[in-house]
Amino acid sequence: MKKYLSTETLTLAAIFMGIACGVWLPDAMLAFKWMGDLFLMLLKMLIVPLVFASVFVAIVSLGSGEALKNLGLKAFGYYFLTTALAVTAGLLVVNIIEPGSAHQLAGSAPVSQPKEHSVSSLLLSFVPANIFASLSEGRIVQVLVFVIFFAVAALHLEGKKRDTLSGFFDALNDAMGKIAGWVIKLTPLGVFSLIGYVIAKEGLETLYQLKDYVIAVLVALFLHALVVLPLVAYLIGRFNPYTYFLKVREAVLVAFSTASSSATLPVSIEVSETKGGVKKESAGFILPLGATVNMDGTALYEAIAVMFIANSFGVELGFSEQIVIFVTATFASIGAAGIPGAGLVMMTMILSAVGLPLEAIGLIAAVDRILDMFRTSINVWGDLLATKVLNRFIKSGSGPEATEHDLSGRRAP
Ligand code: ASP
């Protein structure tokens, strides 16, 4: 009986109950929103200290700038490969299904002129001018950049000073992991409230109005998540991705209900270490990095959305424009923050690259939140696979603190 009442099973049941109550009891679900907000706030409370501590500990545990460089290069190589495959899957499916026709323009939601995002402003936004401002505003990419410098600098300190720092952050990391474990117990309630609220507010009918587009996005996302990504993970990482999924599915369910990779991060780190058998050097470094730069679901979605918009405007986008989409969708997914709706905002980068009006995002805004839930799940699933794949290339206990701290992982599975 206890097995059937595990948090994972309850969370899955909560998703279906949330959808049902969102459809049939919308007023109750709107009133119950506070529960989801509370769950989200508890997760968000953990993000900054957890990212800081886990990345610091992971890098110091790796033991040298050289080991970090090796892992970092492998991570970026893997991210690039899977993101490229995701955009390709998106373009392939959208060229087959061809969603969008001129009449759809009539139903577009009015939006104010959105701000344009350029590649150079994106690169500059990665660097923190004031780390305390970045910490207090929760700018994860900037925190990551700082903590990478900080941890590499720590590796260059003499033994005693380095151990003082790493002992502190190791303890902080474990304490945050404990809180994450408690918050995870609230997942079923949080998920129920978050999903019920979205369905009550958005309704499922909007999905039907843009059904070709919704189908194209979902088909491509499922193709990438169930076939492409597992195959790549198996070939490079040599593990069974489907049994791994069963162990870490909690994080994917949280991603689905929160539509935020960043908010899911505490759960991803916790379940991949405690249930997925991932070393903390891998989970602690690869997951925060992935949550901010590796977004396969978003990249794929951007490619389909821009093609759909072009079709609706009666604009033909040929092979060369699709190459531009390929490159800009990749950058847009790297630049998108791990928060709800970030992918929609980054669409402006691609629209301006192919010469479509920025207000055109109004066309797809109505269904964005629900599609965001699916693409965020794929973003997080991609990160969970990446950390398990790269785990294979890490020698545990290679860091300088191996002698002082237990580097075998946070807790036994
Ligand atoms: N919500 C997504 C995430 O957090 C980003 C997006 O909007 O595509 O991963």
Side-chain angles (χ1 to χ4, degrees), residues 259-262 295 298 336-344 372 375-376 379:
S260 168
S261 303
S262 298
M295 295 194 180
T298 301
I339 54 173
L344 190 68
D372 197 0
R375 65 180 188 259
T376 307
N379 290 344

Side-chain angles (χ1 to χ4, degrees), residues 5-65:
L5 289 179
S6 67
T7 319
E8 289 94 334
T9 318
L10 289 175
T11 305
L12 200 61
I15 289 187
F16 291 109
M17 277 171 62
I19 295 174
C21 293
V23 172
W24 288 302
L25 300 168
D27 292 340
M29 290 320 292
L30 292 176
F32 196 52
K33 177 174 180 279
W34 65 271
M35 186 73 224
D37 287 345
L38 177 68
F39 177 62
L40 261 182
M41 281 158 78
L42 289 171
L43 285 174
K44 284 186 186 166
M45 165 183 98
L46 295 171
I47 301 172
V48 171
L50 190 64
V51 166
F52 206 106
S54 70
V55 174
F56 185 91
V57 170
I59 293 178
V60 173
S61 304
L62 283 171
S64 68

